[in-house]
Amino acid sequence: MQQYKPDQEHIRMLEALATVSSLAFMAVIDFMLAYFGGDWLDRHLETGDHTMRGICIALALISLIMTYYNLIQRSIYSRNDAGKKKKQDEK
């Protein structure tokens, strides 16, 4: 029986799928922690109704944007590297 060996394109596709599927879970958890953690900080530090909650949600949003940016950059760089490698192999 012949064993199937996945090529680099399939491995990159599976890595991207795993990263994207974890981003949805991460976004929900980040925003829940930011909301309830900010609420707790507002009560603990007596800063007002939405001061720390707003700061925590803003930080969660920034971390989510940075994660998406890193995913896109990694995808672009891996495609460029694969294209360069393919051109070198053809020569």
Coordinates of all heavy atoms in Angstrom, one line a residue:
M1 N 0.8 -1.2 0.0 CA 0.0 0.0 0.0 C 0.9 1.2 0.0 O 1.8 1.4 0.8 CB -0.9 0.0 1.2 CG -1.9 1.1 1.3 SD -3.0 0.7 2.6 CE -3.8 2.3 2.7
Q2 N 0.6 2.2 -0.9 CA 1.4 3.4 -1.0 C 0.9 4.4 0.0 O -0.3 4.7 0.1 CB 1.3 3.9 -2.5 CG 2.2 5.1 -2.7 CD 2.0 5.6 -4.1 OE1 1.2 5.1 -4.9 NE2 2.8 6.5 -4.5
Q3 N 1.9 5.0 0.6 CA 1.5 6.0 1.6 C 1.6 7.4 1.0 O 2.5 7.7 0.3 CB 2.5 6.0 2.8 CG 2.1 6.9 3.9 CD 2.7 6.5 5.2 OE1 3.2 5.4 5.3 NE2 2.6 7.3 6.2
Y4 N 0.5 8.2 1.3 CA 0.4 9.5 0.7 C 1.2 10.5 1.5 O 1.1 10.6 2.7 CB -1.1 9.9 0.7 CG -1.3 11.3 0.2 CD1 -1.2 11.7 -1.1 CD2 -1.7 12.3 1.1 CE1 -1.4 13.0 -1.5 CE2 -1.9 13.6 0.7 CZ -1.8 13.9 -0.6 OH -2.0 15.2 -1.0
K5 N 2.0 11.3 0.8 CA 2.8 12.3 1.5 C 2.3 13.7 1.0 O 2.3 14.0 -0.1 CB 4.3 12.2 1.1 CG 5.1 13.2 1.8 CD 6.6 13.1 1.5 CE 7.4 14.2 2.2 NZ 8.7 14.3 1.7
P6 N 1.8 14.5 2.0 CA 1.2 15.8 1.6 C 2.3 16.8 1.1 O 3.4 16.8 1.6 CB 0.5 16.3 2.8 CG 1.2 15.6 3.9 CD 1.6 14.3 3.4
D7 N 2.0 17.6 0.1 CA 2.9 18.6 -0.3 C 2.8 19.8 0.5 O 2.0 20.0 1.4 CB 2.7 18.8 -1.8 CG 1.3 19.4 -2.1 OD1 0.5 19.4 -1.2 OD2 1.1 19.8 -3.3
Q8 N 3.7 20.8 0.2 CA 3.7 22.0 1.0 C 2.5 22.8 0.9 O 2.1 23.5 1.9 CB 4.9 22.9 0.6 CG 6.3 22.3 1.0 CD 6.4 22.3 2.5 OE1 6.3 21.3 3.1 NE2 6.5 23.5 3.1
E9 N 1.8 22.8 -0.2 CA 0.6 23.6 -0.4 C -0.5 23.1 0.5 O -1.2 23.9 1.2 CB 0.1 23.6 -1.8 CG -1.1 24.4 -2.1 CD -0.8 25.9 -2.0 OE1 0.3 26.3 -2.2 OE2 -1.8 26.6 -1.7
H10 N -0.7 21.8 0.7 CA -1.7 21.2 1.6 C -1.3 21.5 3.0 O -2.2 21.8 3.8 CB -1.8 19.7 1.3 CG -2.5 19.4 0.1 ND1 -1.9 19.0 -1.1 CD2 -3.9 19.5 -0.2 CE1 -2.8 18.8 -2.0 NE2 -4.0 19.1 -1.5
I11 N -0.1 21.5 3.4 CA 0.4 21.7 4.7 C 0.1 23.2 5.1 O -0.5 23.5 6.2 CB 1.8 21.4 4.9 CG1 2.0 19.9 4.8 CG2 2.4 21.9 6.3 CD1 3.5 19.4 4.8
R12 N 0.4 24.1 4.2 CA 0.1 25.5 4.4 C -1.4 25.8 4.6 O -1.8 26.6 5.4 CB 0.7 26.4 3.3 CG 2.2 26.7 3.5 CD 2.7 27.8 2.6 NE 2.6 27.3 1.2 CZ 2.0 28.1 0.3 NH1 1.5 29.2 0.6 NH2 2.0 27.6 -1.0
M13 N -2.2 25.1 3.7 CA -3.6 25.3 3.8 C -4.2 24.8 5.1 O -5.0 25.5 5.7 CB -4.3 24.5 2.6 CG -5.8 24.7 2.6 SD -6.5 23.8 1.2 CE -6.1 22.1 1.6
L14 N -3.7 23.7 5.6 CA -4.2 23.2 6.9 C -3.7 24.0 8.1 O -4.5 24.2 9.0 CB -3.7 21.7 7.1 CG -4.3 20.7 6.2 CD1 -3.7 19.3 6.4 CD2 -5.8 20.6 6.5
E15 N -2.5 24.6 8.0 CA -2.1 25.5 9.0 C -2.9 26.8 9.0 O -3.3 27.3 10.1 CB -0.6 25.9 8.8 CG 0.4 24.8 9.1 CD 1.8 25.1 8.8 OE1 2.0 26.2 8.1 OE2 2.7 24.3 9.1
A16 N -3.2 27.3 7.9 CA -4.1 28.5 7.8 C -5.5 28.2 8.3 O -6.1 29.0 9.0 CB -4.2 29.0 6.4
L17 N -6.0 27.0 8.0 CA -7.3 26.6 8.5 C -7.3 26.5 10.0 O -8.3 27.0 10.7 CB -7.8 25.3 7.9 CG -9.1 24.8 8.3 CD1 -10.2 25.7 7.8 CD2 -9.3 23.4 7.7
A18 N -6.3 26.0 10.6 CA -6.2 25.8 12.0 C -6.1 27.2 12.7 O -6.8 27.5 13.7 CB -5.0 25.0 12.4
T19 N -5.4 28.1 12.1 CA -5.2 29.4 12.6 C -6.5 30.2 12.6 O -7.0 30.8 13.5 CB -4.1 30.2 11.9 OG1 -2.9 29.4 12.0 CG2 -3.9 31.6 12.5
V20 N -7.2 30.2 11.4 CA -8.4 30.9 11.3 C -9.5 30.4 12.2 O -10.3 31.1 12.8 CB -8.9 30.9 9.8 CG1 -10.3 31.4 9.6 CG2 -7.9 31.7 8.9
S21 N -9.6 29.1 12.3 CA -10.7 28.5 13.2 C -10.4 28.8 14.6 O -11.4 29.0 15.4 CB -10.8 27.0 13.0 OG -9.6 26.4 13.4
S22 N -9.2 29.0 15.0 CA -8.9 29.4 16.4 C -9.1 30.9 16.6 O -9.3 31.3 17.8 CB -7.5 29.0 16.8 OG -6.5 29.8 16.1
L23 N -9.1 31.7 15.6 CA -9.3 33.1 15.7 C -10.7 33.4 16.2 O -10.9 34.4 17.0 CB -9.0 33.8 14.4 CG -7.6 34.0 14.1 CD1 -7.4 34.7 12.7 CD2 -6.8 34.8 15.1
A24 N -11.7 32.7 15.7 CA -13.1 33.0 16.2 C -13.2 32.7 17.7 O -13.8 33.5 18.4 CB -14.0 32.1 15.4
F25 N -12.7 31.6 18.1 CA -12.7 31.3 19.6 C -11.9 32.3 20.4 O -12.4 32.8 21.4 CB -12.1 29.9 19.8 CG -12.1 29.4 21.2 CD1 -13.3 29.1 21.8 CD2 -10.9 29.4 21.9 CE1 -13.3 28.7 23.1 CE2 -10.9 29.0 23.3 CZ -12.1 28.6 23.9
M26 N -10.8 32.7 19.9 CA -10.0 33.7 20.6 C -10.7 35.1 20.6 O -10.6 35.7 21.7 CB -8.6 33.9 19.8 CG -7.7 34.8 20.5 SD -6.2 35.2 19.6 CE -6.9 36.4 18.4
A27 N -11.4 35.5 19.6 CA -12.1 36.7 19.6 C -13.2 36.7 20.6 O -13.3 37.7 21.4 CB -12.7 37.0 18.2
V28 N -14.0 35.7 20.7 CA -15.0 35.6 21.7 C -14.5 35.6 23.1 O -15.0 36.4 24.0 CB -15.9 34.3 21.5 CG1 -16.9 34.1 22.6 CG2 -16.6 34.4 20.1
I29 N -13.5 34.9 23.4 CA -12.9 34.8 24.7 C -12.2 36.2 25.1 O -12.4 36.7 26.2 CB -11.9 33.7 24.8 CG1 -12.5 32.3 24.7 CG2 -11.1 33.7 26.1 CD1 -13.6 32.0 25.7
D30 N -11.5 36.8 24.1 CA -10.9 38.1 24.4 C -11.9 39.1 24.8 O -11.7 39.9 25.7 CB -10.1 38.5 23.1 CG -8.7 38.0 23.1 OD1 -8.3 37.3 24.0 OD2 -8.1 38.2 22.0
F31 N -13.0 39.2 24.0 CA -14.0 40.2 24.3 C -14.8 40.0 25.6 O -15.1 40.9 26.3 CB -14.9 40.4 23.1 CG -14.3 41.2 22.0 CD1 -13.9 40.6 20.8 CD2 -14.1 42.6 22.1 CE1 -13.3 41.3 19.8 CE2 -13.5 43.3 21.1 CZ -13.1 42.7 20.0
M32 N -15.0 38.7 25.9 CA -15.7 38.4 27.1 C -14.8 38.7 28.3 O -15.3 39.3 29.3 CB -16.1 36.9 27.2 CG -17.3 36.6 26.3 SD -17.8 34.9 26.4 CE -18.3 34.8 28.1
L33 N -13.5 38.4 28.2 CA -12.6 38.7 29.3 C -12.4 40.2 29.4 O -12.4 40.8 30.6 CB -11.2 38.1 29.1 CG -11.2 36.6 29.4 CD1 -9.8 36.0 29.0 CD2 -11.4 36.3 30.8
A34 N -12.4 40.9 28.3 CA -12.2 42.4 28.3 C -13.5 43.0 29.0 O -13.3 44.0 29.8 CB -12.0 42.9 26.9
Y35 N -14.6 42.6 28.6 CA -15.9 43.2 29.1 C -16.0 42.9 30.6 O -16.2 43.9 31.4 CB -17.1 42.6 28.3 CG -18.4 43.2 28.8 CD1 -18.8 44.4 28.2 CD2 -19.2 42.6 29.7 CE1 -20.0 45.0 28.6 CE2 -20.4 43.2 30.1 CZ -20.8 44.3 29.6 OH -22.0 44.9 29.9
F36 N -15.9 41.7 31.0 CA -16.1 41.4 32.4 C -14.9 41.8 33.3 O -15.1 42.3 34.4 CB -16.5 39.9 32.6 CG -17.8 39.6 32.1 CD1 -17.9 38.7 31.0 CD2 -18.9 40.1 32.6 CE1 -19.1 38.4 30.4 CE2 -20.2 39.8 32.0 CZ -20.3 38.9 31.0
G37 N -13.7 41.7 32.7 CA -12.5 42.2 33.5 C -12.5 43.7 33.6 O -12.2 44.2 34.7
G38 N -12.9 44.4 32.6 CA -13.0 45.8 32.7 C -14.1 46.3 33.6 O -14.0 47.3 34.4
D39 N -15.2 45.5 33.6 CA -16.3 45.8 34.6 C -15.8 45.6 36.0 O -16.0 46.5 36.9 CB -17.5 44.9 34.3 CG -18.7 45.3 35.1 OD1 -19.0 46.5 35.2 OD2 -19.4 44.4 35.7
W40 N -15.0 44.5 36.3 CA -14.5 44.3 37.6 C -13.5 45.4 38.0 O -13.5 45.9 39.1 CB -13.8 42.9 37.6 CG -13.2 42.6 39.0 CD1 -13.9 42.1 40.1 CD2 -11.9 42.8 39.4 NE1 -13.0 42.0 41.1 CE2 -11.8 42.4 40.7 CE3 -10.7 43.3 38.7 CZ2 -10.6 42.5 41.4 CZ3 -9.6 43.4 39.4 CH2 -9.5 43.0 40.8
L41 N -12.7 45.8 37.0 CA -11.7 46.9 37.3 C -12.4 48.2 37.6 O -12.0 48.9 38.5 CB -10.7 47.0 36.2 CG -9.6 46.0 36.1 CD1 -8.8 46.2 34.8 CD2 -8.7 46.1 37.3
D42 N -13.5 48.5 36.9 CA -14.2 49.7 37.1 C -14.8 49.7 38.6 O -14.8 50.7 39.3 CB -15.4 49.8 36.1 CG -15.0 50.4 34.8 OD1 -13.9 51.1 34.8 OD2 -15.6 50.1 33.8
R43 N -15.3 48.6 39.0 CA -15.9 48.5 40.4 C -14.8 48.5 41.4 O -14.9 49.2 42.4 CB -16.7 47.2 40.5 CG -18.1 47.3 39.9 CD -19.0 46.1 40.2 NE -18.6 45.1 39.2 CZ -18.2 43.9 39.5 NH1 -18.0 43.5 40.8 NH2 -17.9 43.0 38.6
H44 N -13.7 47.8 41.1 CA -12.6 47.7 42.1 C -11.8 49.1 42.3 O -11.5 49.5 43.4 CB -11.6 46.6 41.7 CG -10.5 46.4 42.6 ND1 -10.7 45.8 43.9 CD2 -9.2 46.7 42.6 CE1 -9.5 45.7 44.5 NE2 -8.6 46.2 43.7
L45 N -11.6 49.7 41.2 CA -10.8 51.0 41.2 C -11.8 52.2 41.3 O -11.3 53.3 41.4 CB -10.0 51.1 40.0 CG -8.9 50.0 39.8 CD1 -8.2 50.2 38.5 CD2 -7.9 50.0 40.9
E46 N -13.1 52.0 41.2 CA -14.1 53.1 41.3 C -13.8 54.2 40.3 O -13.7 55.4 40.6 CB -14.2 53.6 42.7 CG -14.6 52.6 43.7 CD -14.6 53.1 45.1 OE1 -14.2 54.3 45.4 OE2 -14.8 52.3 46.1
T47 N -13.6 53.8 39.0 CA -13.2 54.7 38.0 C -14.4 55.2 37.2 O -14.3 56.1 36.3 CB -12.2 54.1 37.0 OG1 -12.8 52.9 36.5 CG2 -10.9 53.8 37.7
G48 N -15.6 54.7 37.4 CA -16.8 55.1 36.6 C -17.4 53.9 35.9 O -16.9 52.8 36.1
D49 N -18.4 54.2 35.2 CA -19.1 53.1 34.6 C -18.4 52.3 33.5 O -18.4 51.1 33.5 CB -20.5 53.6 34.0 CG -21.5 53.9 35.1 OD1 -21.3 53.4 36.2 OD2 -22.4 54.7 34.8
H50 N -17.8 53.0 32.6 CA -17.2 52.3 31.4 C -15.8 52.6 31.1 O -15.3 52.4 30.0 CB -18.1 52.6 30.2 CG -19.5 52.3 30.3 ND1 -19.9 51.0 30.5 CD2 -20.6 53.0 30.4 CE1 -21.3 51.0 30.6 NE2 -21.7 52.2 30.6
T51 N -15.0 53.2 32.0 CA -13.7 53.6 31.7 C -12.8 52.4 31.5 O -12.2 52.3 30.4 CB -13.1 54.4 32.9 OG1 -14.0 55.5 33.2 CG2 -11.7 55.0 32.6
M52 N -12.6 51.6 32.4 CA -11.7 50.4 32.3 C -12.2 49.4 31.3 O -11.5 48.7 30.6 CB -11.4 49.8 33.6 CG -10.6 50.7 34.6 SD -9.1 51.3 33.8 CE -8.0 50.4 34.7
R53 N -13.6 49.3 31.3 CA -14.2 48.3 30.3 C -13.9 48.8 28.9 O -13.5 47.9 28.0 CB -15.7 48.3 30.5 CG -16.4 47.3 29.7 CD -17.9 47.3 29.8 NE -18.3 47.1 31.1 CZ -19.5 47.4 31.6 NH1 -20.4 47.9 30.8 NH2 -19.8 47.2 32.8
G54 N -13.9 50.1 28.6 CA -13.6 50.6 27.3 C -12.1 50.4 26.9 O -11.8 50.0 25.8
I55 N -11.3 50.6 27.9 CA -9.8 50.4 27.7 C -9.5 48.9 27.4 O -8.8 48.6 26.5 CB -9.0 50.9 28.9 CG1 -9.1 52.4 29.0 CG2 -7.6 50.4 28.8 CD1 -8.5 53.0 30.2
C56 N -10.1 48.0 28.2 CA -9.9 46.6 28.0 C -10.5 46.1 26.6 O -9.8 45.3 26.0 CB -10.5 45.8 29.1 SG -9.7 46.0 30.7
I57 N -11.6 46.6 26.2 CA -12.2 46.2 25.0 C -11.3 46.7 23.8 O -11.1 46.1 22.8 CB -13.7 46.6 24.8 CG1 -14.5 45.8 25.8 CG2 -14.2 46.6 23.4 CD1 -16.0 46.2 25.9
A58 N -10.8 48.0 24.0 CA -9.9 48.5 22.9 C -8.6 47.7 22.8 O -8.2 47.4 21.7 CB -9.6 50.0 23.3
L59 N -8.1 47.2 23.9 CA -6.9 46.4 23.9 C -7.2 45.0 23.2 O -6.4 44.5 22.5 CB -6.3 46.2 25.3 CG -5.7 47.4 25.9 CD1 -5.3 47.1 27.4 CD2 -4.5 47.8 25.1
A60 N -8.4 44.5 23.5 CA -8.8 43.2 22.9 C -8.9 43.4 21.4 O -8.5 42.5 20.6 CB -10.1 42.7 23.5
L61 N -9.5 44.5 21.0 CA -9.6 44.8 19.5 C -8.3 45.0 18.9 O -8.1 44.4 17.8 CB -10.5 46.0 19.3 CG -10.9 46.4 17.9 CD1 -11.7 45.3 17.3 CD2 -11.6 47.7 17.9
I62 N -7.4 45.6 19.5 CA -6.0 45.8 19.0 C -5.3 44.5 18.8 O -4.7 44.2 17.8 CB -5.2 46.8 19.8 CG1 -5.7 48.2 19.7 CG2 -3.7 46.7 19.5 CD1 -5.2 49.2 20.6
S63 N -5.4 43.6 19.8 CA -4.8 42.3 19.7 C -5.4 41.5 18.6 O -4.7 40.7 17.9 CB -4.9 41.6 21.1 OG -6.2 41.1 21.3
L64 N -6.7 41.6 18.4 CA -7.3 40.8 17.3 C -6.9 41.3 16.0 O -6.5 40.5 15.1 CB -8.8 40.9 17.5 CG -9.7 40.1 16.5 CD1 -9.4 38.6 16.8 CD2 -11.1 40.4 16.7
I65 N -6.8 42.6 15.8 CA -6.3 43.2 14.5 C -4.9 42.8 14.3 O -4.5 42.4 13.1 CB -6.5 44.7 14.6 CG1 -7.9 45.1 14.5 CG2 -5.7 45.4 13.4 CD1 -8.2 46.5 14.7
M66 N -4.0 42.8 15.3 CA -2.6 42.4 15.1 C -2.5 40.9 14.8 O -1.6 40.6 14.0 CB -1.8 42.7 16.4 CG -1.6 44.2 16.6 SD -0.8 44.6 18.2 CE 0.8 43.7 18.0
T67 N -3.4 40.1 15.3 CA -3.3 38.7 15.0 C -3.7 38.5 13.5 O -3.1 37.7 12.8 CB -4.3 37.9 15.9 OG1 -3.9 38.2 17.3 CG2 -4.2 36.4 15.6
Y68 N -4.8 39.1 13.1 CA -5.2 39.0 11.7 C -4.1 39.5 10.7 O -3.8 39.0 9.7 CB -6.5 39.8 11.4 CG -7.7 39.0 11.7 CD1 -8.6 39.5 12.7 CD2 -8.0 37.8 11.1 CE1 -9.7 38.9 13.0 CE2 -9.1 37.1 11.5 CZ -10.0 37.7 12.4 OH -11.1 37.0 12.7
Y69 N -3.4 40.6 11.1 CA -2.3 41.2 10.3 C -1.2 40.2 10.2 O -0.6 40.0 9.1 CB -1.9 42.5 10.9 CG -0.7 43.1 10.2 CD1 -0.9 43.8 9.0 CD2 0.6 43.0 10.7 CE1 0.2 44.4 8.4 CE2 1.7 43.6 10.1 CZ 1.5 44.3 8.9 OH 2.5 44.8 8.3
N70 N -0.8 39.6 11.3 CA 0.3 38.6 11.3 C -0.1 37.4 10.4 O 0.8 36.9 9.7 CB 0.6 38.1 12.7 CG 1.4 39.1 13.5 OD1 2.1 39.9 12.9 ND2 1.4 39.1 14.8
L71 N -1.3 37.0 10.5 CA -1.8 35.8 9.7 C -1.7 36.2 8.2 O -1.2 35.4 7.4 CB -3.2 35.5 10.0 CG -3.9 34.4 9.1 CD1 -3.2 33.1 9.4 CD2 -5.4 34.3 9.4
I72 N -2.1 37.4 7.8 CA -2.0 37.8 6.4 C -0.6 37.9 6.0 O -0.2 37.5 4.9 CB -2.8 39.1 6.2 CG1 -4.3 38.8 6.4 CG2 -2.6 39.7 4.8 CD1 -5.2 40.1 6.5
Q73 N 0.2 38.5 6.8 CA 1.7 38.7 6.4 C 2.3 37.3 6.3 O 3.1 37.1 5.3 CB 2.4 39.5 7.5 CG 2.1 41.0 7.4 CD 2.6 41.6 6.2 OE1 2.2 41.4 5.1 NE2 3.5 42.5 6.4
R74 N 2.1 36.4 7.2 CA 2.7 35.1 7.1 C 2.2 34.4 5.8 O 3.0 33.7 5.2 CB 2.3 34.3 8.3 CG 3.2 33.2 8.6 CD 3.0 32.5 9.9 NE 1.9 33.0 10.6 CZ 1.2 32.3 11.6 NH1 1.6 31.1 11.9 NH2 0.2 32.9 12.2
S75 N 1.0 34.5 5.5 CA 0.4 33.9 4.3 C 1.1 34.5 3.0 O 1.5 33.7 2.1 CB -1.1 34.1 4.2 OG -1.6 33.6 3.0
I76 N 1.3 35.8 3.0 CA 1.9 36.4 1.8 C 3.3 36.0 1.7 O 3.8 35.7 0.6 CB 1.8 38.0 1.9 CG1 0.3 38.4 1.7 CG2 2.7 38.7 0.9 CD1 0.0 39.8 2.0
Y77 N 4.1 36.0 2.8 CA 5.5 35.7 2.8 C 5.7 34.2 2.4 O 6.6 33.9 1.7 CB 6.2 35.9 4.1 CG 6.4 37.4 4.4 CD1 6.2 37.9 5.7 CD2 6.8 38.3 3.4 CE1 6.4 39.3 5.9 CE2 7.0 39.6 3.6 CZ 6.8 40.1 4.9 OH 7.0 41.4 5.1
S78 N 4.8 33.3 2.9 CA 5.0 31.9 2.5 C 4.7 31.7 1.1 O 5.3 30.9 0.4 CB 4.1 31.0 3.4 OG 2.7 31.2 3.1
R79 N 3.7 32.4 0.5 CA 3.5 32.3 -0.9 C 4.6 32.8 -1.8 O 5.0 32.2 -2.8 CB 2.2 33.0 -1.3 CG 1.0 32.3 -1.0 CD -0.2 32.9 -1.6 NE -1.4 32.2 -1.2 CZ -2.6 32.7 -1.1 NH1 -2.7 34.0 -1.4 NH2 -3.6 32.0 -0.8
N80 N 5.2 34.0 -1.3 CA 6.3 34.5 -2.1 C 7.5 33.6 -2.0 O 8.2 33.4 -3.0 CB 6.7 35.9 -1.5 CG 5.7 37.0 -1.9 OD1 4.9 36.8 -2.8 ND2 5.8 38.1 -1.1
D81 N 7.8 33.0 -0.8 CA 8.9 32.0 -0.7 C 8.7 30.8 -1.6 O 9.6 30.3 -2.2 CB 9.1 31.6 0.8 CG 9.6 32.8 1.6 OD1 10.1 33.8 1.1 OD2 9.5 32.7 2.9
A82 N 7.4 30.3 -1.6 CA 7.1 29.2 -2.4 C 7.3 29.5 -3.9 O 7.8 28.7 -4.7 CB 5.7 28.7 -2.2
G83 N 6.9 30.7 -4.3 CA 7.1 31.1 -5.7 C 8.5 31.2 -6.1 O 8.9 30.8 -7.2
K84 N 9.3 31.8 -5.2 CA 10.8 31.9 -5.5 C 11.4 30.5 -5.6 O 12.3 30.3 -6.4 CB 11.4 32.7 -4.4 CG 11.1 34.2 -4.5 CD 11.8 35.0 -3.3 CE 11.3 36.4 -3.3 NZ 11.9 37.1 -2.1
K85 N 11.0 29.7 -4.7 CA 11.6 28.3 -4.7 C 11.2 27.6 -5.9 O 12.1 26.9 -6.5 CB 11.1 27.6 -3.5 CG 11.8 26.3 -3.2 CD 11.4 25.7 -1.9 CE 12.2 24.5 -1.6 NZ 11.8 23.8 -0.3
K86 N 10.0 27.7 -6.4 CA 9.6 27.1 -7.6 C 10.3 27.6 -8.8 O 10.7 26.8 -9.7 CB 8.1 27.3 -7.8 CG 7.4 26.4 -8.9 CD 6.0 26.6 -9.0 CE 5.2 25.9 -7.9 NZ 3.8 25.9 -8.1
K87 N 10.6 28.9 -8.9 CA 11.4 29.5 -10.0 C 12.8 29.0 -10.0 O 13.4 28.7 -11.0 CB 11.3 31.0 -9.9 CG 10.0 31.6 -10.3 CD 10.1 33.1 -10.2 CE 8.7 33.7 -10.6 NZ 8.7 35.2 -10.5
Q88 N 13.4 28.8 -8.8 CA 14.7 28.3 -8.7 C 14.8 26.9 -9.2 O 15.8 26.4 -9.8 CB 15.3 28.5 -7.3 CG 15.6 29.9 -6.9 CD 16.0 30.0 -5.5 OE1 16.0 29.0 -4.7 NE2 16.4 31.2 -5.0
D89 N 13.8 26.1 -8.8 CA 13.7 24.7 -9.3 C 13.6 24.5 -10.8 O 14.1 23.6 -11.3 CB 12.6 24.0 -8.6 CG 12.8 23.8 -7.1 OD1 14.0 23.9 -6.6 OD2 11.9 23.5 -6.3
E90 N 12.9 25.5 -11.4 CA 12.7 25.4 -12.8 C 14.0 25.8 -13.6 O 14.2 25.3 -14.7 CB 11.6 26.4 -13.3 CG 10.3 26.0 -12.8 CD 9.2 27.0 -13.2 OE1 9.6 28.1 -13.7 OE2 8.0 26.8 -12.9
K91 N 14.9 26.5 -13.0 CA 16.2 26.9 -13.7 C 17.1 25.8 -13.7 O 17.4 24.9 -13.8 CB 16.8 28.1 -12.9 CG 16.1 29.4 -13.2 CD 16.8 30.5 -12.4 CE 16.0 31.8 -12.7 NZ 16.7 32.9 -12.0

